[in-house]
Amino acid sequence: MSSTEILLNGFRKFRKLYYEKSPNLYRDLIKHGQNPRFAVVACSDSRVDPAIVLQAEPGDIFAVRNVAALVPPFEEDGLYHGTSAALEFAVRGLHVEHIIIIGHAHCGGVESMIHKQEGGEDKGMFIGAWTDLLRVARERALADTPGLEGDALLAASERHAVRLSLENLSTFPFIQEAIAAGELNLQGWYLNIFDGALEIWNPDRQAFSQVI
Ligand SMILES: [Zn+2]
């Protein structure tokens, strides 16, 4: 079987198990348009697909995926802001009720930022500049626990990266407006598929708590 045939078989299975059981669900989503309540910013990593991990149905989640599940700060420079464009549509076009950042354990994007910050070579054309946005996550992890290194530094930086993206979300004027109007809620989650665990950032307690 060719490698793409695996995916085509997946589509045939989807058509049989999902589409043919409730074609009206899909047709209504086209006729009436999508109306997702959740926008999710997740990593492009193949192991952390939010629709699978959260068992969402078509139409439930407006998903933005990029390297390291990162939200950049609001910038008006006329450049190519794919993540910001998706967030703008989610908030102003779809009026989602929640934006959820889903960072994850063993994230290659956060790991490459740490590698570069520790003097490693940056071989990429784009990844280094993108993940540089996360430098402060490593700095904050080290400020919390000086001398942290290896997997512990990675895990702490990944959690700080979620919090940093939440901070960056709050720099977008249309997000500030929606929050002030009581129409939008921001959340930061941290997924660890190795342990099958999910943690949620609690800003009141300034801590992540695990979903039971
Ligand atoms: Zn990742």
Side-chain angles (χ1 to χ4, degrees), residues 126-175:
F126 300 105
I127 296 170
W130 176 249
T131 57
D132 270 355
L133 287 166
L134 288 173
R135 266 181 313 189
V136 70
R138 173 180 169 274
E139 288 161 9
R140 289 176 181 176
L142 287 170
D144 288 347
T145 313
L148 208 57
E149 57 185 12
D151 288 347
L153 175 60
L154 177 61
S157 300
E158 287 161 346
R159 288 183 175 88
H160 270 292
V162 171
R163 295 169 60 186
L164 185 64
S165 283
L166 284 174
E167 288 172 25
N168 287 342
L169 277 177
S170 302
T171 63
F172 287 76
F174 51 85
I175 290 176

Side-chain angles (χ1 to χ4, degrees), residues 43 45 68 104 107-109:
C43 186
D45 190 305
H104 72 105
C107 180

Side-chain angles (χ1 to χ4, degrees), residues 65-80:
R65 298 184 71 178
N66 62 38
V67 171
L70 179 52
V71 174
F74 173 70
E75 288 178 315
E76 280 185 294
D77 52 16
L79 296 178
Y80 307 108

Side-chain angles (χ1 to χ4, degrees), residues 73-152:
F74 173 70
E75 288 178 315
E76 280 185 294
D77 52 16
L79 296 178
Y80 307 108
H81 295 288
T83 295
S84 305
L87 290 169
E88 182 178 37
F89 182 62
V91 175
R92 301 182 89 172
L94 297 172
H95 305 287
V96 296
E97 295 165 30
H98 306 270
I99 300 176
I100 306 166
I101 308 293
I102 306 184
H104 72 105
H106 313 287
C107 180
V110 179
E111 195 170 24
S112 79
M113 174 276 293
I114 292 173
H115 177 70
K116 189 178 163 192
Q117 292 305 308
E118 292 181 347
E121 196 184 344
D122 177 15
K123 293 177 188 162
M125 294 172 67
F126 300 105
I127 296 170
W130 176 249
T131 57
D132 270 355
L133 287 166
L134 288 173
R135 266 181 313 189
V136 70
R138 173 180 169 274
E139 288 161 9
R140 289 176 181 176
L142 287 170
D144 288 347
T145 313
L148 208 57
E149 57 185 12
D151 288 347

